[in-house]
């Protein structure tokens, strides 16, 4: 039971680290500014109709319709779990190809994957397991996309207003 | 009790990913609006990608996980774009 | 594979099947279909067939896109 408790604490720390990583990269690449494809704007409009915020909804639509920094973080954690640093770099290449398949011109996914690779490897040296980062990233995306669209879009919109100045 | 192995971190992470997957599936089933189902579907594909990587640590597993994730994203993209008024790709 | 995860994934597949039967809108049927695919691929991976899993994961969205070409527009 002891190891389950320790792993749970590690997963919560990993979730916080992953959340900060992908929100920072996505905000740096200005994902909430406009929808990349028609579907992203439509999802944003439907979230706004329920009472959410349009900027946060646009970012959620962009996350749905193209692999962005959150997907990069997850695949980097998977790559480091399987094969260490080279696995993370392979995952970055695959995310780049996936971005091009999904008609996305940006580099948010690749950048997020590269930073997350070194971040996860650094935490591996500090006693964490890369499997905990996979679970942590799943928790982080659950907090954005899976609990309540209204409150998540409002939080994202507030962060976006701070970043835009 | 020393014969019992106990759970490794990978086992805990696997069970957690499975729990998130079934939660996202239930939310997809209960959501009345078609386009608002897609973020829950995205959570589901994150959890399944994690399960694929955690089940079998083999180098080809990275390719399989990335293929599943990109395929699922492409599917959501196509469904949302068609629903919102036609595919605008060639 | 962990037995709890087997039960969860099987429940996901059954949920997707029930949803695909009960929905009437084609878009909602396609979303339920992707629920079934997501629940099935871990079973393929568990047997070690990673190449088959990658192939299935790429073929199923392509078939969805072909089906979508025949669907009418969802909202005006």
């Amino acid at each position: 039971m002891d190891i389950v408790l320790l792993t749970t604490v590690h997963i919560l720390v990993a979730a916080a680290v992953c959340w900060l990583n992908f929100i920072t990269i996505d905000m740096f690449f200005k994902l909430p500014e406009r929808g990349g494809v028609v579907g992203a704007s439509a999802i944003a409009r439907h979230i706004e109709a329920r009472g959410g915020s349009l900027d946060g909804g646009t970012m959620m639509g962009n996350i749905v319709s193209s692999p962005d920094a959150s997907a990069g973080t997850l695949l980097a954690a998977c790559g480091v779990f399987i094969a260490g640093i080279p696995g993370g770099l392979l995952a970055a290449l695959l995310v780049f190809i996936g971005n091009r398949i999904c008609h996305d011109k940006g580099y948010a996914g690749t950048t997020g994957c590269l930073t997350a690779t070194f971040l996860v490897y650094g935490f591996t040296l500090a006693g964490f397991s890369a499997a905990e980062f996979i679970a942590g990233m799943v928790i982080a995306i659950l907090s954005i996309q899976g609990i309540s669209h209204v409150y998540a879009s409002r939080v994202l919109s507030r962060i976006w207003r701070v970043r835009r100045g | 009790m020393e014969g019992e192995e106990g759970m490794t971190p990978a086992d805990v992470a696997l069970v957690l990913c499975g729990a998130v997957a079934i939660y996202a599936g239930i939310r997809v089933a209960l959501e009345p609006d078609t386009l608002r189902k897609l973020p829950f579907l995205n959570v589901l594909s994150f959890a399944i990608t994690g399960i694929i990587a955690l089940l079998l640590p083999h180098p080809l597993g990275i390719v399989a996980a990335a293929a599943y994730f990109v395929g699922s994203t492409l599917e959501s993209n196509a469904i949302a774009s068609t629903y919102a008024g036609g595919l605008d790709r060639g | 594979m962990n037995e709890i995860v087997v039960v969860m994934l099987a429940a996901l597949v059954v949920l997707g099947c029930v949803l695909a039967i009960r929905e009437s809108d084609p878009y909602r049927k396609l979303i339920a279909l992707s629920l079934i695919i997501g629940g099935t691929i871990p079973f393929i991976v568990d047997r070690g067939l990673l190449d088959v899993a990658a192939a299935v994961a790429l073929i199923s969205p392509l078939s969805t896109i072909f089906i979508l070409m025949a669907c009418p527009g969802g909202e005006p």
Side-chain angles (χ1 to χ4, degrees), chain B residues 69-90:
Chain B
F69 191 83
V70 172
S72 157
T73 307
L74 188 61
E75 192 174 5
S76 303
N77 191 344
I79 289 177
S81 297
T82 313
Y83 188 82
L87 287 174
D88 56 347
R89 67 189 67 194

Side-chain angles (χ1 to χ4, degrees), chain A residues 81-95:
Chain A
F81 174 70
I82 291 175
I85 290 271
L89 299 181
L90 173 63
L93 177 66
L94 291 170
V95 169

Side-chain angles (χ1 to χ4, degrees), chain A residues 98-112:
Chain A
N99 270 330
R100 291 305 168 270
I101 288 176
C102 290
H103 294 258
D104 183 8
K105 304 286 189 297
Y107 287 90
T110 317
T111 313

